[in-house]
């Protein structure tokens, strides 16, 4: 079997990102429309993030949240992270359930070319979570330079236009 007991549901990370400031620095958020029905996510979400950066490396931290109609956000370790220069995919030395695997070896490092788009496949921690009807799934993205300092919003662009979509894939268990 693959990651999750049911199907995979994809959501294009698109529209106008919402910029805000968090205690860790600038962040981008993407929010789905309110859910028409309950959604059970069980397994490893995978974020295929397309970025262009003005710097040769950046740390990306992604968090999934359950956004209630009253604006309350809930997250239970639904996150993933990747240093952009470690984005090269490799064959895992074990059964990795078909998830993206990165060697993190120096020989496989791929610095970003400023202004040139790059794709980061980010496996998020496994989860089993019930999103209720009327709630929204929110994706928060935070960026930091490799030294740990927050990257400004002019440093990293998340590509969301036609043909350049970033995609969040959720392992969904069908209702019933």
């Amino acid at each position: 079997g693959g990651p999750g007991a049911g199907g995979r549901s994809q959501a294009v990370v698109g529209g106008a990102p919402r910029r805000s400031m968090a205690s860790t620095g600038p962040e981008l958020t993407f929010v789905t429309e309110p859910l028409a029905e309950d959604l059970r996510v069980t397994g490893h979400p995978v974020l295929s993030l397309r970025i262009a950066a003005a710097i040769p490396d950046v740390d990306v931290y992604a968090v999934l949240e359950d956004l209630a109609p009253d604006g309350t956000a809930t997250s239970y370790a639904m996150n993933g992270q990747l240093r952009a220069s470690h984005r090269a995919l490799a064959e895992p030395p074990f059964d990795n359930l078909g998830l993206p695997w990165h060697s993190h070896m120096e020989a496989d490092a791929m610095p970003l070319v400023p202004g040139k788009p790059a794709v980061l496949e980010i496996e998020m921690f496994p989860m089993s979570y019930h999103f209720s009807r009327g709630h929204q799934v929110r994706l928060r993205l935070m960026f930091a330079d490799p030294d740990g300092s927050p990257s400004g919003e002019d440093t990293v662009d998340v590509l969301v236009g036609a043909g350049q979509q970033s995609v969040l894939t959720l392992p969904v268990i069908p209702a019933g």
Side-chain angles (χ1 to χ4, degrees):
R8 306 284 290 170
S9 175
Q10 291 190 340
V12 173
V13 176
R18 302 174 188 177
R19 296 191 185 276
S20 62
M21 289 294 288
S23 59
T24 56
E27 67 178 48
L28 292 175
T29 60
F30 297 89
V31 182
T32 66
E33 293 296 321
L35 298 172
E37 57 187 42
D38 289 357
L39 181 69
R40 170 64 71 179
V41 176
T42 298
H44 294 264
V46 174
L47 176 61
S48 181
L49 186 66
R50 285 159 173 74
I51 66 168
I55 54 178
D57 211 356
V58 65
D59 292 333
V60 180
Y61 187 69
V63 177
L64 281 180
E65 294 178 326
D66 177 350
L67 190 60
D70 68 2
T72 305
T74 304
S75 174
Y76 294 103
M78 296 185 277
N79 54 36
Q81 59 192 22
L82 183 66
R83 179 164 287 176
S85 62
H86 291 225
R87 71 187 179 281
L89 294 173
E91 189 66 32
F94 51 85
D95 182 358
N96 196 37
L97 304 173
L99 296 165
W101 191 80
H102 312 278
S103 74
H104 299 286
M105 296 178 67
E106 188 174 339
D108 294 334
M110 296 172 57
L112 294 169
V113 176
K116 183 178 178 189
V119 178
L120 285 65
E121 299 289 339
I122 303 173
E123 171 197 348
M124 301 181 82
F125 291 137
M127 59 186 277
S128 185
Y129 189 82
H130 177 93
F131 291 90
S132 296
R133 182 176 152 265
H135 287 223
Q136 296 170 284
V137 179
R138 178 166 67 183
L139 173 65
R140 292 176 45 224
L141 298 174
M142 290 150 281
F143 304 93
D145 292 335
D147 66 4
S149 61
S151 291
E153 59 185 60
D154 59 342
T155 305
V156 180
D157 291 321
V158 174
L159 305 179
V160 295
Q164 294 289 322
Q165 290 95 350
S166 295
V167 176
L168 173 63
T169 304
L170 301 173
V172 174
I173 294 179

